[in-house]
């Protein structure tokens, strides 16, 4: 069972917008920056969003992140079939000696 | 551009020790500010953080595995390593080496599948 809670799956049509939630508590999301990772089928996870809402170079602005209290949200607009992947939120946790914690992952299906 | 590559046995017997090495290219394990980490993903499951070693040599491990995990660096080879003792089938997973900088995990190695079976 993961420390952070994500919905197992979300789906939307091409061109639409989808959001993925990530819920934690005061010792993790409430205390540390949140990152989001995209894992395309058969590949390693890749950094998508860091420090709650920043995008690494090369990540399109269709991807955005936000936080509020002990929750975080990843939004993807203008969905493309190539966005089909598993998405994970991650942060650190002071109750685990500042160790890393992740959500269980959300499978995005572009219908 | 920093790249990481895992290496090690793909099959380990139950009760034995899993040993993996991560070779860093385009950067140095001695560089200030970086944490060199191991993360695993069991088949069809989510991500599990195992631990990291700071460039100073200090370590931090997942409490659920702390008694079995050791992470170390070899600065002469620009590598860092993972040892996981007394493995069981539950340790079967893809193991990733990853660099942590500030709060982010980037880049990730391609991952290596380790199967625990007799």
């Amino acid at each position: 069972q993961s420390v952070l809670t994500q919905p197992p799956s979300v789906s939307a049509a091409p061109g639409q917008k989808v959001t993925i939630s990530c819920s934690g508590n005061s010792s993790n999301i409430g205390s540390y920056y949140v990152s989001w990772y995209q894992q395309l089928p058969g590949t390693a996870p890749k950094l998508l969003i860091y420090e709650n809402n920043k995008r690494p170079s090369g990540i399109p602005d269709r991807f955005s992140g936000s936080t509020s209290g002990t929750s975080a949200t990843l939004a993807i607009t203008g969905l493309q079939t190539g966005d089909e992947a598993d998405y994970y939120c991650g942060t650190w946790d002071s109750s685990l000696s500042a160790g890393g914690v992740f959500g269980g992952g959300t499978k995005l299906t572009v219908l | 551009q920093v790249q990481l590559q895992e290496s090690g046995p793909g099959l380990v017997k139950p009760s034995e020790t899993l040993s993996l090495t991560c070779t860093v290219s385009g950067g140095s394990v001695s560089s200030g500010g970086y944490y060199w980490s191991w993360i695993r993903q069991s088949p069809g499951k989510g991500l599990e953080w195992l631990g990291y070693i700071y460039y100073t040599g200090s370590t931090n491990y997942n409490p659920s595995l702390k008694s079995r995990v050791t992470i170390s660096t070899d600065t002469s080879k620009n590598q860092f390593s993972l040892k996981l003792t007394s493995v069981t089938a539950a340790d079967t997973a893809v193991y990733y080496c990853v660099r942590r900088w500030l709060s982010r995990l980037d880049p990730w190695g391609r991952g290596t599948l380790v199967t625990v079976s007799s």
Side-chain angles (χ1 to χ4, degrees), chain A residues 1 5 10 15 34 39 44 50 54 62 71-72 74 81-82 96 111:
Chain A
Q1 189 161 345
T5 301
V10 296
V34 174
Q39 186 173 32
Y50 67 97
K54 296 182 173 62
R62 300 187 298 106
S71 295
L74 172 70
T81 56
L96 300 174
L111 301 169

Side-chain angles (χ1 to χ4, degrees), chain A residues 32-104:
Chain A
Y32 295 92
Y33 286 126
V34 174
S35 297
W36 289 90
Y37 304 90
Q38 178 193 56
Q39 186 173 32
L40 296 168
T43 69
K46 181 180 80 169
L47 180 66
L48 194 64
I49 297 287
Y50 67 97
E51 291 179 7
N52 299 340
N53 55 21
K54 296 182 173 62
R55 285 175 286 106
S57 60
I59 301 299
D61 59 6
R62 300 187 298 106
F63 296 89
S64 63
S66 63
T67 59
S68 178
T70 59
S71 295
T73 301
L74 172 70
I76 310 172
T77 59
L79 275 174
Q80 302 175 0
T81 56
D83 296 332
E84 279 208 347
D86 293 322
Y87 292 85
Y88 293 90
C89 57
T91 187
W92 308 91
D93 196 310
S94 59
S95 69
L96 300 174
S97 301
V101 291
F102 295 98

